[in-house]
């Protein structure tokens, strides 16, 4: 009896399958356009949907005198849905030609979105390669609310390239959002005498022919697009390795030549120290670059923090190198969690001060805590960075204070184990604030929700 009913049900299902002729099947619907944004509600146009990049191979030819860039970007990706078309982010440059899997593709380019329609649709889960030939004069991105000028910034002798939060699209086509990390290879050709500094390590000696030099760099660990750099210009270099054995490369514009040795030594010393506090250094090399472009800020470009127009002191070097763990190896999935980068890097400055025997983190914390009750930091909680003011001081300072409040609540032993586990468990991955709170509660055995609520989310000074 039961058997029979099942057999009948199966037969009925089979019959209805047969009744559905191939022309009724929604084959076309299996391939649809990828979304023009990756789904960060604060930055709806950043990144793109429908695919995940695994590797960028960027060949860039740049001439400082004319400011002209010629690029060929070869991007390997995997489709996360069936794709009839998909977008890349690229602003202001002229796209000459696009191919997908070696076949010419049609495309449109407007409003920072390059929409590519491959000759053959791409199946869900298929790997594909898109190649974009482009050229023009890159223009940096400007924002009245987020640190002024960023992206590819032409300078007198080259370019200063610092792209946080979404300036990669000023110099290469990309899925320009930190939730899609990839490995990178760079082939950068510049007039002889100009040095090109990209992320990772040189894969061979630079080669020169016809008065142009080609540098090949490779970053073999996953990297967010905003950390990619191709900083170019006249540079003095110092190469070697840290006492702990991490290859170390420092570079300084001739105007900052007197800073080179200190940059090299301090970067090496701090890289090794952070490895004892946060766990093994995550990348293949460390170092830093001081350029003469007067940005007045620094960016934690992966393996090569970039300092704009000033001699960096130990505090800022400690900050940018701490980002190699917090921000670069562990990367935020959405911008509102930015305190996981900046609060940690700021707290690292305080830890460095404590380590040096200068002010303790506790003394620095107390100094900030005694700021007047109407300080904007108290009314602006750091837990949800605002898209029109991402790099607010609260995200940095009150973010750092959050970690100190946590340290006081769980004790030094648990706190420092937590920092190491956080870095180890999420190495090369993506993180959210919820995950950090969860790990802190698990490792301490304490209910920490009230502490994080007060420090990260409430618009008043925590007690
Ligand atoms: N993340 C940088 C820091 O704290 C600051 C920063 C934000 C930045 N956006 C930038 C630097 C753009 C250069 C360009 O060190
Ligand atoms: Zn920072």
């Amino acid at each position: 009896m039961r058997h029979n009913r099942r057999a009948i049900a199966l037969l009925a299902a089979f019959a209805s399958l047969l009744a559905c002729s191939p022309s009724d099947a929604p084959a076309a619907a299996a391939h649809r356009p990828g979304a023009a944004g990756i789904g960060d509600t604060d930055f709806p146009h950043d990144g793109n949907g429908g695919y995940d990049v695994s590797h960028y191979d960027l060949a860039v030819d740049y001439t400082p005198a004319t400011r002209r860039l010629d690029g060929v970007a070869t991007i390997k990706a995997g489709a996360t849905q069936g794709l009839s078309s998909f977008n890349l982010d690229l602003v202001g440059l002229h796209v000459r030609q696009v191919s997908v899997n070696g076949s010419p593709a049609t495309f449109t380019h407007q409003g920072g979105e390059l929409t590519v329609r491959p000759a053959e649709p791409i199946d869900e889960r298929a790997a594909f390669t898109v190649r974009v030939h482009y050229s023009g004069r890159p223009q940096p991105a400007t924002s009245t609310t987020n640190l002024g000028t960023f992206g590819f910034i032409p300078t007198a002798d080259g370019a200063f390239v610092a792209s946080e939060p979404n300036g990669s699209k000023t110099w290469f086509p990309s899925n320009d959002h930190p939730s899609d990390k990839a490995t990178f290879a760079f082939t950068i050709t510049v007039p002889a005498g100009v040095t090109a500094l990209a992320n990772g390590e040189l894969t061979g000696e630079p080669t020169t022919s016809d008065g142009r030099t080609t540098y090949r760099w490779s970053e073999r660990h996953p990297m967010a697009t905003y950390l990619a750099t191709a900083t170019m210009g006249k540079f003095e270099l110092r190469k070697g390795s840290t006492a702990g054995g991490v290859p170390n490369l420092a570079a300084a514009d001739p105007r900052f030549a007197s800073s080179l040795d200190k940059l090299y030594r301090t970067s090496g010393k701090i890289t090794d120290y952070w490895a004892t506090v946060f766990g093994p250094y995550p990348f293949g090399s460390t170092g830093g670059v001081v350029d003469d472009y007067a940005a007045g800020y620094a960016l934690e470009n992966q393996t090569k923090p970039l300092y704009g127009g000033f001699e960096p002191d130990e505090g800022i070097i400690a900050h940018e190198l701490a980002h190699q763990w917090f921000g670069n190896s562990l990367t935020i999935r959405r911008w509102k969690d930015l305190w996981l980068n900046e609060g940690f890097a700021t707290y690292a400055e305080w830890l460095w001060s404590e380590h040096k025997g200068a002010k303790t983190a506790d003394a620095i914390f107390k100094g900030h805590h005694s700021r007047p009750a109407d300080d904007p930091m108290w009314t602006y909680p750091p837990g949800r960075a605002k898209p029109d003011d991402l790099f607010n001081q609260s995200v940095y300072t009150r973010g750092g204070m959050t970690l100190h409040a946590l340290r006081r609540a769980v004790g030094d032993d648990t706190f420092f184990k937590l920092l190491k586990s956080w870095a180890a468990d999420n190495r090369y991955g993506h993180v959210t604030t919820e995950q950090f709170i969860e790990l802190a509660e698990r490792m301490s055995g304490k209910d920490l929700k009230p502490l994080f609520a007060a420090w990260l989310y409430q618009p008043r000074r925590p007690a």
Side-chain angles (χ1 to χ4, degrees):
M1 187 62 184
R2 275 171 77 203
H3 248 105
N4 264 342
R5 224 184 275 163
R6 206 159 110 202
I8 288 163
L10 269 172
L11 268 174
F14 191 55
S16 75
L17 262 179
L18 283 179
C20 179
S21 75
S23 61
D24 297 333
H31 298 104
R32 55 203 164 83
I38 207 167
D40 188 327
T41 45
D42 288 329
F43 293 87
H45 306 292
D46 283 7
N48 305 288
Y51 66 93
D52 194 275
V53 176
S54 57
H55 184 71
Y56 292 92
D57 189 324
L58 305 178
V60 167
D61 190 299
Y62 188 68
T63 304
T66 60
R67 301 191 163 187
R68 185 185 163 90
L69 182 148
D70 280 285
V72 182
T74 307
I75 303 167
K76 289 197 174 117
T80 56
Q81 66 173 64
L83 288 168
S84 53
S85 68
F86 60 89
N87 281 17
L88 290 163
D89 302 312
L90 180 70
V91 71
L93 296 160
H94 174 71
V95 176
R96 283 205 312 279
Q97 186 191 320
V98 181
S99 69
V100 174
N101 295 331
S103 301
T106 57
F107 59 90
T108 61
H109 187 200
Q110 44 184 293
E113 297 286 343
L114 174 63
T115 301
V116 177
R117 177 173 270 277
E120 297 285 331
I122 301 165
D123 290 339
E124 182 171 0
R125 281 189 293 278
F128 63 99
T129 301
V130 50
R131 178 167 290 166
V132 180
H133 294 252
Y134 63 104
S135 58
R137 293 178 171 205
Q139 303 281 330
T142 51
S143 161
T144 47
T145 46
N146 283 323
L147 288 188
T149 302
F150 58 98
F152 189 102
I153 305 174
T155 60
D157 62 359
F160 179 93
V161 184
S163 298
E164 193 180 19
N166 51 12
S168 286
K169 57 174 71 63
T170 65
W171 66 284
F172 65 93
S174 65
N175 195 17
D176 196 8
H177 190 273
S179 58
D180 187 1
K181 297 206 277 189
T183 55
F184 281 72
F186 303 86
T187 305
I188 307 170
T189 302
V190 285
V194 174
T195 300
L197 299 162
N199 313 87
E201 296 79 51
L202 278 175
T203 54
E205 286 304 308
T207 53
T208 300
S209 70
D210 291 334
R212 296 187 76 80
T213 303
T214 297
Y215 293 81
R216 292 184 176 79
W217 294 92
S218 155
E219 174 50 59
R220 59 201 156 87
H221 298 290
M223 178 165 78
T225 50
Y226 76 87
L227 298 167
T229 193
T231 293
M232 301 176 256
K234 304 248 189 275
F235 284 104
E236 300 196 7
L237 304 179
R238 172 134 187 224
K239 311 177 202 203
S241 113
T242 72
V246 179
N248 185 9
L249 172 62
D253 183 280
R255 205 154 79 71
F256 289 92
S258 61
S259 309
L260 183 62
D261 268 12
K262 186 175 151 205
L263 173 69
Y264 175 83
R265 276 183 286 107
T266 310
S267 301
K269 185 173 70 174
I270 294 179
T271 298
D272 286 347
Y273 180 64
W274 286 155
T276 71
V277 181
F278 305 142
Y281 184 69
F283 303 123
S285 59
T286 187
V289 178
V290 182
D291 202 354
D292 71 340
Y293 170 71
Y297 54 59
L299 183 65
E300 63 266 24
N301 287 340
Q302 194 151 309
T303 69
K304 283 180 193 64
L306 178 58
Y307 305 91
F310 59 94
E311 171 171 347
D313 62 17
E314 293 203 352
I316 196 162
I317 294 173
H319 179 114
E320 305 310 332
L321 290 174
H323 274 310
Q324 304 307 309
W325 283 260
F326 307 113
N328 300 7
S329 170
L330 279 62
T331 302
I332 52 178
R333 246 181 221 297
R334 49 194 191 207
W335 285 108
K336 70 175 175 182
D337 285 332
L338 187 62
W339 84 278
L340 290 174
N341 294 6
E342 301 305 346
F344 278 63
T346 301
Y347 195 60
E349 292 178 49
W350 306 351
L351 290 176
W352 180 254
S353 165
E354 183 165 316
H355 170 67
K356 294 283 288 183
K359 276 194 177 179
T360 62
D362 200 55
I364 297 170
F365 172 91
K366 287 189 173 121
H368 290 301
H369 198 254
S370 64
R371 290 200 205 179
D374 63 353
D375 189 290
M377 192 167 76
W378 303 130
T379 48
Y380 183 124
R384 272 185 216 101
K386 297 186 176 96
D388 58 353
D389 191 13
L390 275 181
F391 302 96
N392 187 283
Q393 270 309 308
S394 178
V395 168
Y396 284 71
T397 305
R398 193 167 150 184
M401 293 178 78
T402 302
L403 290 175
H404 192 70
L406 175 66
R407 178 177 168 188
R408 297 218 295 199
V410 303
D412 277 15
D413 192 48
T414 301
F415 178 76
F416 287 103
K417 278 192 185 129
L418 169 63
L419 290 185
K420 276 197 170 133
S421 296
W422 179 239
D425 297 356
N426 300 295
R427 195 167 160 97
Y428 308 132
H430 285 101
V431 289
T432 63
T433 299
E434 291 73 26
Q435 281 173 282
F436 182 67
I437 296 174
E438 212 249 328
L439 184 67
E441 290 195 317
R442 188 146 42 83
M443 291 187 66
S444 65
K446 290 195 154 96
D447 174 13
L448 297 167
K449 283 182 272 296
L451 181 148
F452 284 110
W455 278 97
L456 292 178
Y457 301 114
Q458 286 164 19
R460 69 189 78 92
R461 171 165 49 187

